[in-house]
Amino acid sequence: MSDLPKKEQLYELIRTNPFISQQDLAAQLGLSRSAVANYIATLVRERRILGRAYVVPNRRPIVCVGASNLDRKLRTLAKLAMATSNPARQDESFGGVARNIAENLARLGTPVALVTAVGNDASGRALLAHAEDAGIDTRAALRLDGHATGTYTAVLDHDGDMAVALADMAIHDEMTPAFLAARAQQRGAAALVVADLNLPRESIAALVEDAARDRVPLVLVAVSEPKMARLPRKLAGVRLLILNVGELAARVGRPLEGEDEIAAACIEVQRDGVQDLVVTQGGAGVFYTGPGGLAHLTAPAAQVVDVTGAGDAFAAAVCWSLHSGDNGLALACRRGLQLAALTIGCAQTVYPQLAPGHLDGLLEELILD
């Protein structure tokens, strides 16, 4: 690269690291800060990079904000019996809603960054190393001394269905609005921001406000009924909210029975500012909003091996479809259901054979339908 003109050397450094500072560019190229600023201004005028975040066109990433943790799965060897000891086997892997979504996206070939919090411990270091090996940009992660990396322990019965899950996610409370403000450049450079509700309520509110101001589409992914309390009342700026029927019921404060009640609840949440909702029903498929009201898709048949990670795979495929320029939720949800079925049918949290192009064929199928 040393044979290239300085402007081209600078451009290549930015292509390699879109978040590199002007000071680091100056140090690596032996230039003054003013010279670096002039080169950057020229590249912006030439539309070879986009604005102050130095993003190369067509490589704007999806930024995933939220939980990453160590997943432990305990699966009984026979039918689960409550209030007694059950023979079981244990598996460990890396998980967390935002992290799982990010890995699915990276495997699909999408540029993706992860904004999360981990302890400065062996688990945290291993988690970030695994993410980087998968192609996820982890430079915006918060590494904390004196905190343990989050853990999620799921108890599955012998058929693979989850009986109970225990989550120690307190470390993600450190992802405060001030921390997110320090990572505003990364989020401002994104094509899409995806956040889970493991974040503190005030941090989610800050993301919603930023999305409305900066016009960067925001997808919010629910994680549990109790954590729906973290969703702020005003949601203007949210492109999409992905949640299940129980979480939607928690939002509106009443049980939901049947499609008509689900449709009414969706309209109620849309009045708070959300553009669209996707309401998942497990094996019964999904509802999604659109110009014609609420629509439904049936889930494909799947052999259940392990349900862990299926919802995150669904959300990732939906976000991938939107990021690819296919704005229709019908296609996005079909892709989500396909990837969820593949994930349910394997023992891993992320489908190990997932690769770029894996979901492309559904566009032709939708047109033929």
Side-chain angles (χ1 to χ4, degrees):
M1 192 171 74
S2 59
D3 294 333
L4 295 173
K6 289 291 187 182
K7 185 179 79 169
E8 297 305 316
Q9 291 183 46
L10 182 143
Y11 178 71
E12 290 303 319
L13 287 172
I14 289 172
R15 278 172 52 88
T16 302
N17 177 8
F19 305 123
I20 191 170
S21 68
Q22 289 192 15
Q23 182 175 346
D24 288 341
L25 286 168
Q28 292 190 42
L29 295 174
L31 296 170
S32 66
R33 284 284 298 276
S34 60
V36 167
N38 287 335
Y39 281 132
I40 289 172
T42 300
L43 290 168
V44 170
R45 286 195 300 272
E46 294 172 351
R47 300 298 294 168
R48 295 175 68 189
I49 61 175
L50 304 179
R52 64 183 179 86
Y54 316 145
V55 179
V56 180
N58 302 321
R59 294 296 293 170
R60 295 178 69 193
I62 295 178
V63 175
C64 299
V65 186
S68 57
N69 47 258
L70 183 65
D71 273 355
R72 295 189 178 97
K73 302 175 190 176
L74 292 162
R75 182 166 177 167
T76 61
L77 302 182
K79 184 175 177 58
L80 178 66
M82 302 303 294
T84 188
S85 176
N86 289 263
R89 68 172 183 268
Q90 174 176 298
D91 295 305
E92 288 190 350
S93 61
F94 298 116
V97 173
R99 195 221 68 89
N100 290 345
I101 292 172
E103 184 177 346
N104 278 285
L105 289 168
R107 288 178 177 269
L108 285 167
T110 307
V112 59
L114 178 62
V115 181
T116 190
V118 297
N120 191 14
D121 52 19
S123 295
R125 290 188 291 272
L127 188 152
L128 294 181
H130 179 271
E132 290 160 6
D133 288 344
I136 301 167
D137 183 347
T138 66
R139 287 168 294 178
L142 178 63
R143 300 161 175 84
L144 290 167
D145 293 324
H147 290 74
T149 297
T151 59
Y152 172 87
T153 302
V155 178
L156 312 174
D157 70 15
H158 69 296
D159 292 327
D161 290 326
M162 185 175 69
V164 67
L166 303 172
D168 176 6
M169 312 293 282
I171 191 171
H172 300 105
D173 290 339
E174 302 301 319
M175 297 178 67
T176 62
F179 163 72
L180 293 178
R183 304 301 193 268
Q185 186 178 37
Q186 287 90 332
R187 291 185 289 110
L192 182 71
V193 174
V194 186
D196 68 45
L197 298 192
N198 286 300
L199 299 170
R201 178 185 172 90
E202 59 271 19
S203 298
I204 298 167
L207 290 175
V208 172
E209 291 173 5
D210 289 351
R213 183 191 64 236
D214 299 337
R215 299 183 182 275
V216 176
L218 173 64
V219 177
L220 294 179
V221 181
V223 298
S224 69
E225 293 179 29
K227 288 189 177 178
M228 288 302 294
R230 299 187 175 194
L231 192 65
R233 180 54 50 188
K234 295 182 179 179
L235 297 172
V238 178
R239 168 64 183 89
L240 181 65
L241 174 61
I242 301 175
L243 72 177
N244 63 32
V245 176
E247 290 157 351
L248 179 60
R251 171 67 180 195
V252 298
R254 62 181 182 274
L256 301 174
E257 299 291 341
E259 183 172 346
D260 289 345
E261 292 187 7
I262 293 171
C266 287
I267 292 171
E268 185 174 327
V269 178
Q270 285 179 303
R271 291 194 188 108
D272 295 331
V274 175
Q275 181 176 338
D276 282 304
L277 291 88
V278 171
V279 185
T280 62
Q281 296 181 291
V286 300
F287 290 104
Y288 62 94
T289 59
L294 197 67
H296 182 266
L297 286 172
T298 302
Q303 181 179 359
V304 176
V305 175
D306 186 342
V307 299
T308 308
D312 303 335
F314 174 86
V318 169
C319 293
W320 176 84
S321 193
L322 296 177
H323 179 264
S324 299
D326 301 316
N327 288 317
L329 279 182
L331 176 58
C333 288
R334 286 194 179 203
R335 286 167 163 164
L337 289 169
Q338 182 192 43
L339 186 52
L342 292 171
T343 305
I344 288 170
C346 73
Q348 291 80 17
T349 302
V350 176
Y351 180 60
Q353 279 76 51
L354 188 61
H358 212 113
L359 303 179
D360 291 348
L362 276 184
L363 180 58
E364 182 179 350
E365 292 178 22
L366 185 63
I367 293 171
L368 291 175
D369 286 349

